[in-house]
Amino acid sequence: WYQRRVRGQHQKQLIGIIIIMATINIGELLSASIDLAQQAGKLIKDIYFSGDLKIQIKGYTENGVEDPLTQADLKSQQHIVSGLQNRWKDLPIVGEEQVEIPRTDLMPRIDIVPQEKVPDHFKQVPLEDVVVFIDPLDATREFTKGHVHCVITLIGISVKGKPVAGVMYQPFVEPPRTIWGLVGLGVEGIHQKSERDCEGLIIITTASHNNEKVDRAIKKVEHEKLIRAGGAGYKALQIIENNADLYLFPTDGCKLWDTCAPQAILNALGGVLTDSHGREILYFQDSDVHVRDGVVASMKNHEHFIRQINS
């Protein structure tokens, strides 16, 4: 995985007795992230339809499931990181893939999110308090198998360890779709269902990382329907859009770049994403990237679900 270590992160210029610290406007950073996610999505589609994915295997899960990597993952991350660095050269970034970032003249837009709607406390945030978490192509395994409806580019923004803004871009839906959110402003691009065919509780969980711990937790929560799907972002999106009630994955497997953007959007809507014990997930540059105690997400009754899972 890629982590930009910031040199001169504490940029301070002494002028007389005045200390000037580098700051960033979260609305502008979110705008750039939206623009770059959309551009990266086009790269992903172009590579997919070229048929030349250049699949590699990074490793295997504890269940022996392959963890693939494609040139689409790499080029998407290179594009996003390059654009962000061109705008803010000392911006702390944590990305999934370990890849060199080429120099480009790419300069993303910073005017997509209306500035008048950005909360004042997000307009001048110390740069050292901000970290961007990037999953350039969530659901790579499904991508290699042609199940591209699960594929989402995820860019999450944290401030002092808390996820406050996120972008989820779906390149393979028609038309391609951008969901973005900022805590205190709201969420754009979602299609929330007001009615469903299923009246009972719907749980969504992993399609490929199942184990006994996941099965035990599912049995503890009374439900009418169980959905298995790939991609942490895709599963979280089903909660966001009311296609499911509980995203349940109480085991190691997710990383911070999988959950930062979805959690920020859930938070902006009043939803909740925690680990399987109901504890807050923190997003610092030096955090352990593994979400070792799993993920639970819901729009309501979260504490009730946590008690059931741990009973």
Side-chain angles (χ1 to χ4, degrees):
W1 55 281
Y2 169 91
Q3 183 176 37
R4 176 170 171 76
R5 296 278 181 189
V6 178
R7 296 180 180 178
Q9 185 174 341
H10 301 271
Q11 289 190 7
K12 299 177 182 178
Q13 182 179 358
L14 190 62
I15 304 175
I17 59 171
I18 300 173
I19 295 176
I20 300 174
M21 180 178 292
T23 62
I24 189 168
N25 182 309
I26 299 300
E28 292 182 352
L29 177 55
L30 178 56
S31 292
S33 299
I34 293 167
D35 192 22
L36 291 166
Q38 293 170 345
Q39 294 174 24
K42 184 178 186 306
L43 290 174
I44 290 168
K45 285 184 76 172
D46 288 347
I47 291 170
Y48 179 76
F49 289 114
S50 77
D52 185 18
L53 303 187
K54 292 186 170 62
I55 300 170
Q56 307 171 44
I57 303 301
K58 291 193 289 187
Y60 295 84
T61 69
E62 62 179 19
N63 296 332
V65 179
E66 292 180 346
D67 183 13
L69 171 71
T70 73
Q71 68 163 330
D73 298 80
L74 299 176
K75 289 188 179 299
S76 175
Q77 181 161 311
Q78 286 176 322
H79 190 87
I80 295 167
V81 175
S82 175
L84 291 175
Q85 288 179 354
N86 287 345
R87 277 286 183 191
W88 301 279
K89 66 183 180 66
D90 291 326
L91 178 66
I93 298 170
V94 178
E96 178 174 7
E97 311 306 343
Q98 188 169 3
V99 59
E100 291 295 322
I101 306 302
R103 293 193 175 202
T104 69
D105 58 2
L106 176 62
M107 196 60 66
R109 291 176 57 186
I110 58 172
D111 61 349
I112 296 173
V113 178
Q115 273 301 305
E116 65 273 14
K117 294 186 178 180
V118 175
D120 288 342
H121 60 278
F122 284 142
K123 290 183 177 178
Q124 284 190 312
V125 178
L127 191 62
E128 64 183 13
D129 291 344
V130 177
V131 187
V132 178
F133 289 86
I134 300 169
D135 189 338
L137 195 167
D138 190 38
T140 301
R141 184 179 299 104
E142 286 69 27
F143 178 69
T144 63
K145 295 180 178 180
H147 304 155
V148 294
H149 66 283
C150 295
V151 171
I152 304 180
T153 294
L154 302 172
I155 306 177
I157 301 166
S158 73
V159 174
K160 293 185 176 180
K162 297 184 181 296
V164 301
V167 181
M168 304 174 72
Y169 182 69
Q170 292 183 285
F172 290 101
V173 300
E174 289 298 336
R177 188 156 69 112
T178 308
I179 299 105
W180 62 264
L182 175 63
V183 173
L185 186 157
V187 176
E188 296 288 338
I190 58 172
H191 303 148
Q192 284 186 309
K193 279 189 176 180
S194 57
E195 296 183 359
R196 296 191 312 221
D197 296 335
C198 178
E199 295 183 0
L201 188 83
I202 300 175
I203 296 176
I204 189 163
T205 190
T206 181
S208 56
H209 293 76
N210 200 52
N211 59 29
E212 290 183 8
K213 192 172 184 180
V214 175
D215 285 340
R216 283 198 304 270
I218 290 170
K219 289 175 182 177
K220 290 180 179 181
V221 181
E222 185 177 347
H223 59 280
E224 183 174 332
K225 185 176 180 181
L226 177 67
I227 302 171
R228 294 192 179 275
Y234 181 79
K235 290 189 280 288
L237 183 59
Q238 305 318 300
I239 303 301
I240 291 166
E241 299 200 313
N242 196 35
N243 295 315
D245 303 291
L246 178 63
Y247 172 15
L248 183 53
F249 184 61
T251 192
D252 191 7
C254 285
K255 311 292 194 307
L256 295 181
W257 46 72
D258 295 314
T259 57
C260 187
Q263 185 175 349
I265 291 171
L266 276 162
N267 289 350
L269 284 170
V272 184
L273 187 151
T274 67
D275 73 9
S276 62
H277 298 286
R279 295 176 300 213
E280 184 178 20
I281 298 170
L282 297 176
Y283 299 84
F284 293 103
Q285 189 177 14
D286 58 357
S287 295
D288 178 1
V289 298
H290 294 265
V291 186
R292 298 192 184 277
D293 288 312
V295 172
V296 179
S298 63
M299 287 300 300
K300 58 185 179 181
N301 301 322
H302 195 81
E303 291 183 2
H304 172 69
F305 292 137
I306 293 294
R307 287 195 296 270
Q308 286 187 301
I309 293 162
N310 292 283
S311 63

